[in-house]
Amino acid sequence: KGFWLDLSPDLMAERIAGRHGDASDATEDVMHEQVAHGHGPLGTWTSVDASGSPESTLAAVLARLPAAY
């Protein structure tokens, strides 16, 4: 089980372009290649809209966690 953070390719490209000095080596080209391949079935993963702020994405994930967490 896990969470799939879902957002549009345009927003992904915008966020990638705004990154500087982080640990990721993904570029817009890498992202577009991955989008072209698709992610396939999510299985037990829960899709979460990640198009908002980091705080709203975290709140959406937390809302989907069992009460024990």
Side-chain angles (χ1 to χ4, degrees):
K1 294 185 178 189
F3 293 98
W4 180 266
L5 303 182
D6 197 25
L7 63 158
S8 71
D10 288 341
L11 188 51
M12 283 190 271
E14 182 181 317
R15 290 181 180 178
I16 289 168
R19 287 194 318 228
H20 301 286
D22 67 359
S24 179
D25 60 355
T27 63
E28 282 188 57
D29 290 339
V30 170
M31 181 273 299
H32 286 295
E33 191 173 317
Q34 290 175 337
V35 167
H37 288 295
H39 56 64
L42 293 179
T44 61
W45 288 50
T46 300
S47 182
V48 174
D49 178 7
S51 62
S53 69
E55 294 80 12
S56 66
T57 301
L58 175 60
V61 168
L62 293 175
R64 289 167 175 83
L65 286 175
Y69 291 95

